[in-house]
Amino acid sequence: MFELQKVSLDYGGTLALKEMDLSLGAGEQVCLIGPSGAGKTSLLGLLNGRVFPTSGRVSVNGEDLTSLSSKSLRQVRSRIAWVPQDLGLVPNLRVNQNIACGRVAAKGTFGLLRSFLAMGKGERDEIHQLLVRMGIGEKLYERTDHLSGGQQQRVAVARALFQKPRAILADEPVSAIDPERAKDLIELLTTVAREEGLTLVASLHDVSLAQRYFDRVIGLRSGEVVFDGKASDEGLEKLYRLGA
Ligand code: ADP
C-alpha cells in the first residue's frame, strides 16, 4: 500500500530520513521503533502526505504523492486516518461531533459544519453503531472531556473508523499514558485493523508491546532502517537498545 523509494527528508540542514526504501503491504500491521529523533514522525508524515520528501518517491496504492493535484491528494489523505499522541480530540465537543470530524478531509469544513448543526439520521446511526462496537454506545452525546481516558481512546478509534480509512497511522499513541491503557489502545487498534483489513502503522517506544501485537517491526535510527522483521527475530536485543 505504501512504497518509499530512495526517500530523503532534509529539514534545512537536519537529514531526518536518508535514502529510505520501504514497502508496506495492504493489511500489514507494522510498528516503528527507535529512539527520539530517529525519524518515526517524519516517516509517518510522509506516508500521510503531510510532508514531502526532499528527494525520492512516496506512493500510496501506486500513486506518487508528489505528483498529485491538491484535490487528488486530499482524496488519498481522506482514506488515511491519523491517531496522534494526544488523540487529537476537541475536549468541549460532544462525542458524536468529534467522531464526525473523521470526515473533514472528505467533506470539507462546510460539510462538517452542516453535520454539527443538523446531523442526519444516517450519519448519527453510523456513529452510534461505531460507539456500540467500541463498548460506549451510551456516550453519543456526552461532552468528550467528561469521558475517562480509556473512553476517549475509544472515541479516537471510532473517529478513525468513521473516516472509512484504508490505513491508520498512529504516532506514539501510548507514550503519555499508563501501561494498562497503553495495552488496551494497542489491542483495540490492532484488533479493528485486523477485522477491517486495514494497514496499521504505529510508532511505539515499548518493544514488548510491539512484540506482542505487531506482525512486523521496523527499527529506525538516525533516519535509517536498522531492523526490519518479526519482533521475535534475532535482532530483538538490538531493538531493545533502540527502544531504550
Ligand atoms: P522521532 O519521531 O523518531 O522522534 P522525528 O521524525 O520527529 O523523529 O525527527 C527526526 C529528525 O528530524 C530529528 O533530528 C528532528 O530534530 C528533526 N526534525 C523533525 N521535525 C523537524 C522540523 N519541523 N524542523 C527541523 N527539524 C526537524
Side-chain angles (χ1 to χ4, degrees):
M1 170 166 187
F2 296 104
E3 196 84 40
L4 268 69
Q5 290 168 302
K6 290 219 170 310
V7 166
S8 293
L9 178 62
D10 187 340
Y11 291 107
T14 308
L15 199 53
L17 297 176
K18 298 172 188 162
E19 301 214 331
M20 188 175 285
D21 289 308
L22 204 56
S23 180
L24 309 177
E28 258 193 304
Q29 304 204 352
V30 181
C31 182
L32 307 177
I33 291 273
S36 189
K40 303 181 294 298
T41 303
S42 300
L43 174 56
L44 288 167
L46 283 167
L47 299 180
N48 191 29
R50 285 170 171 239
V51 284
F52 292 99
T54 313
S55 60
R57 184 185 144 107
V58 180
S59 54
V60 177
N61 293 321
E63 297 199 88
D64 179 356
L65 294 189
T66 48
S67 68
L68 292 179
S69 65
S70 55
K71 185 174 173 217
S72 303
L73 181 62
R74 238 188 350 264
Q75 270 166 1
V76 171
R77 292 192 61 192
S78 73
R79 306 297 300 278
I80 302 174
W82 179 263
V83 180
Q85 185 178 343
D86 64 359
L87 302 178
L89 298 170
V90 184
N92 57 359
L93 285 184
R94 301 198 181 275
V95 166
N96 64 329
Q97 293 173 320
N98 260 306
I99 295 177
C101 290
R103 290 208 183 137
V104 66
K107 285 180 163 190
T109 314
F110 286 114
L112 182 65
L113 274 177
R114 257 199 309 276
S115 283
F116 274 22
L117 294 171
M119 187 174 283
K121 183 174 180 318
E123 196 163 68
R124 197 174 53 236
D125 287 350
E126 207 180 329
I127 290 175
H128 185 234
Q129 280 312 312
L130 281 171
L131 285 176
V132 169
R133 182 169 169 196
M134 295 294 127
I136 51 170
E138 73 288 358
K139 303 294 183 190
L140 185 63
Y141 298 116
E142 193 103 13
R143 246 180 73 140
T144 307
D145 54 359
H146 292 175
L147 268 55
S148 71
Q151 290 168 337
Q152 291 188 27
Q153 289 178 177
R154 289 170 178 270
V155 175
V157 175
R159 182 193 53 195
L161 291 179
F162 187 63
Q163 202 172 327
K164 290 198 186 302
R166 299 172 83 164
I168 299 180
L169 308 180
D171 190 14
E172 307 252 354
V174 298
S175 60
I177 55 182
D178 64 70
E180 196 51 33
R181 263 177 52 205
K183 182 185 95 35
D184 287 348
L185 180 56
I186 295 303
E187 195 167 294
L188 185 61
L189 281 169
T190 49
T191 303
V192 296
R194 196 173 313 110
E195 286 172 358
E196 303 280 326
L198 305 175
T199 310
L200 174 67
V201 190
S203 62
L204 293 180
H205 269 305
D206 185 340
V207 177
S208 64
L209 277 179
Q211 214 181 349
R212 183 161 166 197
Y213 290 103
F214 288 84
D215 308 328
R216 179 176 172 192
V217 176
I218 295 177
L220 297 179
R221 185 160 43 195
S222 306
E224 292 179 293
V225 173
V226 292
F227 178 91
D228 186 354
K230 288 189 184 302
S232 54
D233 283 1
E234 279 181 1
L236 189 62
E237 273 308 306
K238 198 172 172 188
L239 274 177
Y240 267 114
R241 275 185 270 120
L242 283 169

